[in-house]
Amino acid sequence: MADRAGSHPASGWLILDKPRGLGSTQAVGAVKRNLREGGHAKTKVGHGGTLDPLAEGVLPIALGEATKLAGRMLDASKVYEFTIAFGEETDTLDVEGEVTARSGRRPPIAAVAAILEHFTGEIEQVPPAYSAVKVDGRRAYDRARAGETVEMKTRTVTVHALSLANGREEAAPRSAFAAEAGRPDPFDPRAPLELADSVTLVAHVSKGTYVRSLARDIAHALGTVGHVTYLRRVKAGPFAQDQAISLDKLNEIGKGARLEDLLLPLEAGLDGIPAHDLDPESAQAVRQGRVLSGMPHPDGLLLAKSGGVPVALMEVTAGTAKVVRGFNIPDTAE
């Protein structure tokens, strides 16, 4: 079937709200299938950051020339909402694994609130044994599933922000006073002590941060054990969950719905990077990979455009701009 986009396949981003139980590779496969069935068979597809099958939420899917930016998306920070259930730790640090430790201790909500600042900023973290980190050339989860003892190395990651999510804490029964008064302020020393069976947090983290490890370490710091029972990515780089589409919406593309109505432009993945519109002569020079001089822009990345169409991502140094990534997107006037 001829590509409905003509000789130039579509370029941009589909932001998928990945459901629990679906792997990232399967999600990409679903996009490819719908594009093929909808007449967009020539379109390149890639994803901007793996989500575990048990996780749900924002999965950026790059199409066409946007696939050249997928690597930048992998490096972008992410925001997750996750629930830690206290009392049991598993080998996978989530609900899929076998229980390896138990504790009858339940931390006070006030203690949870107070300890979060100690997990903010640069922290040392040991990734889960069941993770995609390579150990001696093999994925850690492959070694763990084979029954090997996997020694994971500590890494430094950054937690930009960490806080309690509103209204998701499931606490043990409270006193009559607490029940009548409503949930107390966890920072108020006069508030009644409220113990948490589980707690839901929101974390803004750097590339390479494992939320399951963060949950394990928070539980340990509170004098107990825990594991992740719920994990949702609410933001990946510049893409938020209110921009995400469901699988049902994705499937409409395969049934003939307009891809353009769901596709975000390529430059949506370059949020915060200034754009500069080039004259035709400069645009042609950039397409040939040539350097531009006399650029009136501060040092840093710049999106060069021509007639509103992205031409290249460029690096400006002392007024000189060099191509970092060129985009082969036709001008609408062509």
Side-chain angles (χ1 to χ4, degrees):
M1 181 184 289
D3 196 303
R4 286 175 54 180
S7 59
H8 300 284
S11 291
W13 299 89
L14 281 177
I15 312 305
L16 189 64
D17 192 338
K18 187 191 82 65
R20 185 168 175 157
L22 188 74
S24 297
T25 302
Q26 292 172 299
V28 170
V31 171
K32 288 180 177 178
R33 185 187 70 251
N34 277 282
L35 290 176
R36 183 174 63 250
E37 293 174 355
H40 305 276
K42 296 179 182 179
T43 307
K44 295 179 183 177
V45 181
H47 69 75
T50 300
L51 264 182
D52 290 343
L54 286 178
E56 60 184 63
V58 175
L59 179 63
I61 306 289
L63 305 187
E65 292 297 286
T67 57
K68 295 176 179 178
L69 301 175
R72 286 180 52 82
M73 198 56 55
L74 295 176
D75 291 338
S77 65
K78 315 290 193 301
V79 179
Y80 294 92
E81 183 174 280
F82 63 103
T83 299
I84 310 171
F86 297 113
E88 291 184 340
E89 184 172 312
T90 67
D91 53 6
T92 59
L93 304 181
D94 58 26
V95 296
E96 200 172 41
E98 299 292 327
V99 175
T100 57
R102 287 186 169 87
S103 172
R105 180 179 172 80
R106 299 294 182 270
I109 287 287
V112 177
I115 208 167
L116 297 184
E117 66 178 284
H118 297 288
F119 289 91
T120 305
E122 279 197 356
I123 64 171
E124 297 296 308
Q125 184 181 82
V126 178
Y130 285 83
S131 66
V133 175
K134 285 192 174 181
V135 178
D136 297 329
R138 290 178 59 200
R139 299 290 185 187
Y141 54 64
D142 288 333
R143 290 183 174 275
R145 287 168 184 158
E148 297 181 33
T149 299
V150 185
E151 293 293 332
M152 306 299 294
K153 294 182 179 179
T154 301
R155 59 169 64 182
T156 301
V157 298
T158 302
V159 178
H160 301 291
L162 182 62
S163 62
L164 288 163
N166 293 328
R168 275 195 174 270
E169 298 85 20
E170 297 172 9
R174 296 175 287 165
S175 67
F177 170 80
E180 290 173 3
R183 183 174 300 284
D185 179 353
F187 293 100
D188 184 354
R190 299 166 300 175
L193 189 65
E194 183 181 9
L195 302 181
D197 287 325
S198 65
V199 64
T200 298
L201 307 175
V202 177
H204 178 195
V205 301
S206 69
K207 166 192 174 182
T209 304
Y210 278 91
V211 172
R212 286 175 291 151
S213 293
L214 184 61
R216 173 200 62 205
D217 296 344
I218 289 171
H220 287 181
L222 290 166
T224 185
V225 294
H227 65 281
V228 171
T229 58
Y230 166 83
L231 178 59
R232 178 173 178 81
R233 188 155 70 193
V234 298
K235 193 173 183 183
F239 300 120
Q241 61 185 353
D242 60 1
Q243 298 171 292
I245 63 172
S246 65
L247 277 184
D248 287 343
K249 199 74 174 175
L250 173 66
N251 291 336
E252 291 178 9
I253 296 173
K255 298 174 183 176
R258 279 169 43 91
L259 172 62
E260 296 81 1
D261 293 341
L262 301 175
L263 194 66
L264 298 180
L266 175 146
E267 52 264 44
L270 296 172
D271 186 46
I273 295 177
H276 177 77
D277 208 48
L278 302 172
D279 59 61
E281 183 179 350
S282 297
Q284 183 61 24
V286 170
R287 288 191 176 104
Q288 294 171 353
R290 288 153 57 189
V291 173
L292 297 183
S293 58
M295 297 293 286
H297 295 278
D299 290 0
L301 290 173
L302 179 75
L303 176 62
K305 304 175 82 172
S306 176
V309 177
V311 174
L313 182 64
M314 307 189 77
E315 180 79 41
V316 179
T317 306
T320 299
K322 296 182 179 180
V323 175
V324 176
R325 283 281 185 275
F327 305 119
N328 184 27
I329 300 176
D331 192 309
T332 52
E334 291 182 14

